[in-house]
Amino acid sequence: MRVMLVDDEPERRAATEAPLRLLGHEVVGFSTSTSDLAAAVKRHQPDVILVDVDVPGRDTLESLGQVTRDRPRPIVLFASHSEPETIRKALQAGVSSYVVDGMNPARLKPIIDVAIARFEEFQALRNELEETRSKLADRRDIEKAKGLLMKRRNLDENGAYELLRRMAMDRNLKLGDAARTLIAAAELL
Amino acid sequence: MALEKNDIKLGLVPLIDAAPLIVAKEKGFFEEQGLNVTLSVEASWASIRDKVAAGLLDAAHMLAPMPIAATAGIDGVGVPMMTALSLNLNGNAIAVSQSLYWRLQLDELTPISVGERLKRVLEADRAAGAPPRVFAHVFPFSPHHYELRYWLAGCDIDPDRDLQLVVIPPPQMVRALRDGSIDGFCVGAPWGAVAQAAGIGRVVLNKYQIWNNSPEKVLGVTRAWAEAHPQTHLALIAALIRAAQWLDQPANRSEAARLIVEGHYVEATPETVHESLAVGAPGKPENAGLVFHAGAATFPWVSHALWFVGQMRRWNQLPPGIDGDALARASYRPDLYRAAAAQFGMPCPAVDLKSEGQHTGIHTLSPDHTIELGADRFFDGAGYSPS
């Protein structure tokens, strides 16, 4: 996992990077007072962003998801001076995962695990969405290919569909791909 | 009536328009209301939102659209919030880098002519294959974001295609402009003036020129907090109205600047803080700078909320099927404002809605005509009539 660590205190950042590396993560550290966060996120494409609750750069990080309309990457917040009660309240209120200062590996691991799980959930959802989208595209292209065959070969709808299916089977293509091949060929002629 | 709570923690972001909170604290207006207030300077709007949502702050200085976004559940947290007090009108500036300023070749600083020149430069850039220019604002749900888009779109510039819009925290705007990671920004005082004073950027427009006397910051609380602390909420509003009144006395502006500087609330040079608060005709609704009280500046107009809801729709931030009117009325609460103002007999608007865009100067409000309002024109001459 690529973890981006955003903390303005260099010492704490260094102390946090070590346990993250021990857990096998690839870590890039940033300070919001010196780096262009938007560019950094774009460049490193982190899977999780770990950010100090009190850095001003949080507004930049949050907007990245909203501006690009991408599903936001999991953002894990950590707080330097928070009591457990604070964190409980924050979580109840819907604020993303909260970690207290200290960052000992034992505590960090479950949090990162949760972030991974959440990230994978997002990915699954996103894939599902893309699948639905491509199914829709398939249906549209199959309709178009069928129309072409009906016109060119003077077939009825069932006949055109059968022909398309046979072409797909012969060439070992998915039906949608066969339809797109046919449309592309027709456009060339 | 007894307050439910006396010890109050208020959040603010280091900006000049947090002045009412600072003045109410430093000049004893909170104390007058029986409130013992601690001010907490927060680093980001996300932090303000989270801490108010989690109850770590009782109330806070918020961007006017934030309670609406929270109530609509589109702010990432979804804890319903509301405001019953506007903290100021005007105050933002649009600035560009020195290099873009020279390319614009401006002969007048009006939204239309700056927009025309900017469009021409963007077109030339695109023809030359240059990457899109980057402009920054401060938060996805901010007046800055919407006024920037309103202005660009009104000048036939597509804010999503012709430019790249990014979010940068106010205190970092000047650095980003200097580094060249952005070409321009829209930000609250004093940061535009700071960029100009440092020779890094040029202020080309201000918020007033885009929409005269338009809403900017509010006092935000969660709906749950307001329901649990009704008297405390009214006391907070009353104290802040007094502070706003005090701030709009011309003689008090320089003392206010001193309070901000000496309390280390905003880390900017004393000159820029003074400059941001010093205005040609302080206390008059025709003032193009920060207005805190004049022209019913503290009143939470439901029509302002409706305008923001409209912008959220226009820029695809709001899911379809949301009742915009109910959303605006749940987030903006003039009824509570009136209850607070009644405590010291201050006249306030009898209506919740007003039209915008039709007045070029001071006018009074029907039906009683006792309250003077300032100009409310949009730069493109459009009218806005909420219904």
Side-chain angles (χ1 to χ4, degrees):
Chain A
M1 283 249 291
R2 266 193 308 278
V3 181
M4 189 163 143
L5 179 63
V6 184
D7 189 351
D8 288 353
E9 287 175 37
E11 278 172 29
R12 188 172 56 193
R13 200 166 63 231
T16 313
E17 280 193 47
L20 282 169
R21 289 232 164 78
L22 273 179
L23 290 168
H25 301 304
E26 195 184 311
V27 188
V28 273
F30 285 97
S31 154
T32 62
S33 50
T34 55
S35 334
D36 180 349
L37 275 183
V41 170
K42 208 168 161 193
R43 193 165 62 242
H44 295 285
Q45 297 281 317
D47 301 316
V48 182
I49 300 173
L50 208 58
V51 54
D52 175 11
V53 71
D54 283 323
V55 303
R58 282 188 57 205
D59 286 346
T60 303
L61 289 175
E62 286 207 359
S63 73
L64 293 178
Q66 279 155 330
V67 167
T68 59
R69 307 197 127 253
D70 274 347
R71 207 166 279 284
R73 291 173 180 81
I75 294 181
V76 180
L77 298 172
F78 63 91
S80 355
H81 314 290
S82 298
E83 297 143 25
E85 177 64 5
T86 305
I87 293 149
R88 196 183 58 75
K89 277 183 174 172
L91 286 170
Q92 265 177 355
V95 175
S96 11
S97 337
Y98 238 109
V99 200
V100 248
D101 202 12
M103 290 285 185
N104 66 61
R107 186 175 267 161
L108 212 48
K109 189 174 181 322
I111 305 247
I112 296 284
D113 285 347
V114 168
I116 295 170
R118 189 181 295 174
F119 182 66
E120 281 169 353
E121 235 169 74
F122 285 152
Q123 288 289 60
L125 249 164
R126 182 190 290 176
N127 291 344
E128 210 171 282
L129 201 74
E130 263 162 30
E131 212 172 286
T132 316
R133 238 184 242 138
S134 79
K135 268 186 196 151
L136 277 173
D138 276 0
R139 270 172 48 190
R140 198 190 51 222
D141 292 336
I142 291 166
E143 277 306 305
K144 197 167 169 192
K146 262 183 357 194
L148 279 170
L149 287 175
M150 284 159 73
K151 214 193 273 170
R152 301 252 163 113
R153 305 272 175 102
N154 205 13
L155 291 167
D156 66 3
E157 196 172 350
N158 274 335
Y161 185 75
E162 265 312 302
L163 183 58
L164 186 64
R165 211 172 57 87
R166 244 188 352 258
M167 284 163 65
M169 272 167 57
D170 288 348
R171 293 172 207 176
N172 207 11
L173 289 172
K174 282 187 184 157
L175 200 57
D177 291 333
R180 278 184 283 277
T181 312
L182 193 93
I183 295 165
E187 275 164 4
L188 275 177
L189 296 174
Chain B
M1 216 173 305
L3 302 181
E4 299 82 6
K5 190 173 183 181
N6 298 89
D7 292 331
I8 296 292
K9 209 167 168 195
L10 291 186
L12 63 91
V13 168
L15 290 162
I16 303 297
D17 56 21
L21 280 68
I22 296 163
V23 163
K25 160 94 182 154
E26 304 284 349
K27 297 296 291 178
F29 295 118
F30 285 136
E31 221 178 287
E32 261 177 35
Q33 297 287 331
L35 296 165
N36 174 31
V37 169
T38 311
L39 296 182
S40 170
V41 178
E42 299 293 331
S44 68
W45 295 112
S47 166
I48 289 265
R49 176 204 60 207
D50 293 352
K51 290 182 182 177
V52 170
L56 306 175
L57 293 170
D58 293 286
H61 174 224
M62 280 187 190
L63 297 157
M66 279 173 73
I68 306 170
T71 302
I74 55 174
D75 67 340
V77 175
V79 172
M81 296 192 191
M82 62 156 88
T83 180
L85 179 78
S86 157
L87 291 173
N88 68 298
L89 306 175
N90 307 331
N92 298 340
I94 295 178
V96 297
S97 66
Q98 291 288 1
S99 67
L100 179 55
Y101 179 79
W102 292 114
R103 279 212 49 203
L104 289 174
Q105 297 277 317
L106 301 170
D107 24 59
E108 54 168 355
L109 297 181
T110 65
I112 289 176
S113 69
V114 176
E116 266 171 20
R117 296 298 169 93
L118 179 62
K119 185 177 164 65
R120 216 179 292 168
V121 168
L122 296 180
E123 278 167 359
D125 278 358
R126 193 164 41 217
R133 298 262 177 184
V134 184
F135 272 57
H137 58 90
V138 303
F139 202 63
F141 312 105
S142 63
H144 316 61
H145 188 196
Y146 303 127
E147 64 213 21
L148 198 53
R149 281 177 176 269
Y150 186 92
W151 167 58
L152 292 166
C155 296
D156 200 21
I157 296 170
D158 182 333
D160 294 306
R161 187 200 60 199
D162 303 337
L163 275 171
Q164 191 193 346
L165 296 187
V166 297
V167 167
I168 294 187
Q172 294 176 13
M173 285 292 187
V174 178
R175 194 196 74 216
L177 198 65
R178 190 192 58 213
D179 293 351
S181 46
I182 58 174
D183 299 288
F185 60 63
C186 179
V187 73
W191 304 108
V194 170
Q196 180 136 324
I200 291 164
R202 292 293 189 109
V203 174
V204 291
L205 294 174
N206 62 50
K207 176 182 171 80
Y208 181 90
Q209 290 173 291
I210 295 170
W211 179 12
N212 303 161
N213 293 306
S214 50
E216 180 51 36
K217 302 295 188 315
V218 298
L219 180 77
V221 295
T222 65
R223 189 189 294 166
W225 188 93
E227 281 164 5
H229 307 90
Q231 295 305 322
T232 313
H233 193 195
L234 295 189
L236 271 176
I237 296 165
L240 287 165
I241 293 176
R242 304 288 277 193
Q245 264 173 338
W246 184 90
L247 270 162
D248 268 6
Q249 302 286 316
N252 293 336
R253 287 283 178 114
S254 68
E255 187 182 347
R258 218 172 49 242
L259 293 174
I260 291 172
V261 171
E262 283 169 7
H264 297 278
Y265 292 107
V266 179
E267 298 297 339
T269 61
E271 295 76 39
T272 51
V273 175
H274 277 273
E275 191 191 317
S276 306
L277 281 167
V279 275
K284 290 271 166 38
E286 75 261 32
N287 177 9
L290 280 166
V291 176
F292 296 100
H293 186 262
T298 49
F299 191 76
W301 293 99
V302 172
S303 43
H304 284 165
L306 283 166
W307 190 83
F308 286 126
V309 169
Q311 299 303 303
M312 289 173 181
R313 279 232 165 87
R314 178 178 185 188
W315 304 112
N316 298 318
Q317 288 182 320
L318 210 56
I322 283 190
D323 178 347
D325 193 58
L327 174 59
R329 285 179 189 280
S331 335
Y332 271 49
R333 294 292 299 275
D335 54 323
L336 299 181
Y337 176 95
R338 290 193 191 99
Q343 294 183 349
F344 49 96
M346 198 186 72
C348 40
V351 291
D352 295 346
L353 306 174
K354 65 183 177 105
S355 62
E356 302 285 339
Q358 278 134 19
H359 306 96
T360 53
I362 295 178
H363 58 285
T364 54
L365 203 63
S366 296
D368 47 17
H369 298 284
T370 51
I371 292 162
E372 283 191 341
L373 299 180
D376 57 20
R377 298 241 312 155
F378 290 93
F379 84 92
D380 57 357
Y384 176 71
S385 304
S387 49

